[in-house]
Structure formats: C-alpha cells, structure tokens
Amino acid sequence: MTTRLPQRLTLLSGLLGLFALGGCVHSPPSDPWDPIEPVNRAVYKFNDTADRYVLQPVARGYDKITPDRVQTSVGNFFANLDEPVNMANSALQLKWGSFNTSLGRFMVNTTAGVGGLFDVASAVGVDKVDEDFGQTLGYWGLGQGPYLVLPFLGPSSGRDVFGRVGDQFVYPLNYVDEDYDYVVWSLRALDLINLRASLLGFEETLEQQFDPYAFMRGYYLENRLKAVYDGDVPADRLYQDDGADDEDAG
C-alpha cells in the first residue's frame, strides 16, 4: 500500500504557510484578506475559461446520457468515501456525536448501501455531517489566512490549503495500491465530472453578478465561516464582502 499526497498541494502548503499563520492577526472577520487579488483574478479567469471550454461541455454530455438515478448513486459513492474524513475531523474537534453519526453512516451505507451506492443512512433519518481539516484548524483558532484561487481547484484560503493536505491522509482512495493507479484516477475523474454536472446552471447565477469574482469570494468565505461554527456564527464574525456594495450599485 502506498500513500500518494498530491505534490501540488504539498508545494502550495509550504509556499503559503506564512500566509495561513498570518491569518490569525491579518484577517478581520468583516473584511476578506485578499492580498494577491490581481493574481487571484487571473487564476479565476483561467479556471473559468478551462471550465467553460473543457469541463462544462464534458459535464453537459455526461448529464445528458447519464440517468439521474445513476448520477445520484455516483454522488452517494463518493460521499461515502468522505466519511472517514468526517470521522477523523469530528474526533479532532471532540465532536463525538458527529463522529458516531459518520461512523454509523459509513457502516450502514458500505454494507446495506452496496458500497455506498445507496444512501440508506439518510433514508432512515441519519443525516450527513461535513467536517474537514480546514474546519478543524478553524475550530482550534487558526485564522482563515488570505483568500486564494488555486489553479483547477478553485476558491480556497491559506488555512484551507493546509486542510486539503491534511484530509488526504485519511481519504481512502489514497491507500489503493499503486498498481491500480488507473482505477484511482478514473474514479477521481468521475467524481469531478459528476460534481460539475450537479452544478450545471450555477454559471448563470455568476453571469448575473456585477463582479462574479467578488461574488464567488464572498460565497466561499461565508460558507466556510458557517462550516467552522456549524452554522452558529457569532455576530462579530459575520462576513460581508466588499463586492456586495459594488453589486448593489450596479
């Protein structure tokens, strides 16, 4: 068995380490810290072009030929693979209720759900919880750091770059024998395409915004803030993006 930690994430974590730690003191709750905005906007434009001309057409073709039930099962399968990540981070945050929920879901869906293809746990009232290492770092007080747009990976932050790396250590696909690399990368491609197909139509929402970049930044940071506080964000931590004023003016 071998663990393959994506090299690009390891590199980014090293380069952006100081940014992430600086987030403790340089990331006011009501003001997004976006110190490399020109670079982020260029990467955002690159990602948008790649999505528009490559990923989106593939996702539309996939959506057209793949029945909804099959897409749902594919999504269930990969959601089940995320349960060990949820379990590990629930334990790191001392959220034993969430840990037991994720453990129960993983056991039920892996067995009765035929390897996770069917979400039996949700059908019997066991709702999914989402915990990741970025949330764990935030739970223990690490600031979000600078807002970042990563090539191909999209919105992130200094803290969440570390989070992405940390989660790889407990993600099951990283422990498949390297003789079956082709299976792993095929599954990763399927996961990406299925996820993108589930988001078809979101680009229309972006196109309606005065500044799509600012909208995406605000959307991402607000949702990550809610994730860290499990939806119960203190009033002094509520996030407001500068882009909101521009949008209203437009």
Side-chain angles (χ1 to χ4, degrees), residues 140-211:
W140 290 110
L142 184 65
Q144 72 182 17
Y147 177 68
L148 303 169
V149 182
L150 306 180
F152 301 108
L153 298 178
S156 188
S157 68
R159 180 176 64 202
D160 285 342
V161 166
F162 282 111
R164 289 173 183 266
V165 174
D167 287 336
Q168 296 301 311
F169 287 103
V170 288
Y171 188 62
L173 284 184
N174 288 328
Y175 291 89
V176 175
D177 192 279
E178 60 185 5
D179 290 338
Y180 298 95
D181 272 351
Y182 66 95
V183 175
V184 172
W185 289 109
S186 295
L187 288 174
R188 289 184 183 277
L190 177 60
D191 184 21
L192 176 62
I193 294 170
N194 190 75
L195 176 62
R196 185 61 185 88
S198 71
L199 297 174
L200 289 174
F202 185 69
E203 60 272 7
E204 296 179 6
T205 300
L206 281 178
E207 290 172 356
Q208 294 172 2
Q209 306 306 315
F210 177 79
D211 184 349

Side-chain angles (χ1 to χ4, degrees), residues 76 80-81 83 87 99-127:
N76 290 340
N80 193 53
L81 286 181
E83 293 297 357
M87 283 185 275
F99 175 85
N100 290 331
T101 295
S102 293
L103 175 60
R105 285 182 56 86
F106 186 66
M107 295 176 64
V108 169
N109 286 341
T110 300
T111 54
V114 193
L117 292 176
F118 302 97
D119 190 358
V120 178
S122 292
V124 297
V126 183
D127 294 330

Side-chain angles (χ1 to χ4, degrees), residues 13-243:
S13 69
L15 293 175
L16 301 171
L18 294 178
F19 278 134
L21 295 175
C24 296
V25 295
H26 290 296
S27 184
S30 60
D31 182 25
W33 188 33
D34 194 355
I36 56 171
E37 182 173 344
V39 176
N40 280 337
R41 284 185 178 272
V43 177
Y44 174 85
K45 184 176 181 180
F46 168 81
N47 288 347
D48 181 64
T49 301
D51 176 73
R52 190 181 303 271
Y53 292 104
V54 180
L55 185 56
Q56 189 181 138
V58 173
R60 290 191 182 281
Y62 170 84
D63 184 59
K64 184 175 182 179
I65 66 175
T66 307
D68 290 343
R69 290 185 179 181
V70 174
Q71 293 185 44
T72 298
S73 290
V74 172
N76 290 340
F77 174 78
F78 288 107
N80 193 53
L81 286 181
D82 283 334
E83 293 297 357
V85 176
N86 294 328
M87 283 185 275
N89 285 288
S90 293
L92 289 172
Q93 296 175 51
L94 308 182
K95 297 178 181 178
W96 303 116
S98 295
F99 175 85
N100 290 331
T101 295
S102 293
L103 175 60
R105 285 182 56 86
F106 186 66
M107 295 176 64
V108 169
N109 286 341
T110 300
T111 54
V114 193
L117 292 176
F118 302 97
D119 190 358
V120 178
S122 292
V124 297
V126 183
D127 294 330
K128 182 177 177 63
V129 297
D130 290 303
E131 300 290 348
D132 56 55
F133 194 54
Q135 292 171 237
T136 296
L137 294 173
Y139 178 86
W140 290 110
L142 184 65
Q144 72 182 17
Y147 177 68
L148 303 169
V149 182
L150 306 180
F152 301 108
L153 298 178
S156 188
S157 68
R159 180 176 64 202
D160 285 342
V161 166
F162 282 111
R164 289 173 183 266
V165 174
D167 287 336
Q168 296 301 311
F169 287 103
V170 288
Y171 188 62
L173 284 184
N174 288 328
Y175 291 89
V176 175
D177 192 279
E178 60 185 5
D179 290 338
Y180 298 95
D181 272 351
Y182 66 95
V183 175
V184 172
W185 289 109
S186 295
L187 288 174
R188 289 184 183 277
L190 177 60
D191 184 21
L192 176 62
I193 294 170
N194 190 75
L195 176 62
R196 185 61 185 88
S198 71
L199 297 174
L200 289 174
F202 185 69
E203 60 272 7
E204 296 179 6
T205 300
L206 281 178
E207 290 172 356
Q208 294 172 2
Q209 306 306 315
F210 177 79
D211 184 349
Y213 170 85
F215 174 83
M216 181 63 76
R217 180 180 62 188
Y219 180 85
Y220 176 82
L221 294 177
E222 180 178 355
N223 277 278
R224 292 302 292 167
L225 186 62
K226 289 179 179 178
V228 169
Y229 288 97
D230 293 330
D232 188 19
V233 184
D236 63 342
R237 298 293 303 174
L238 290 176
Y239 175 82
Q240 296 292 331
D241 197 329
D242 297 338

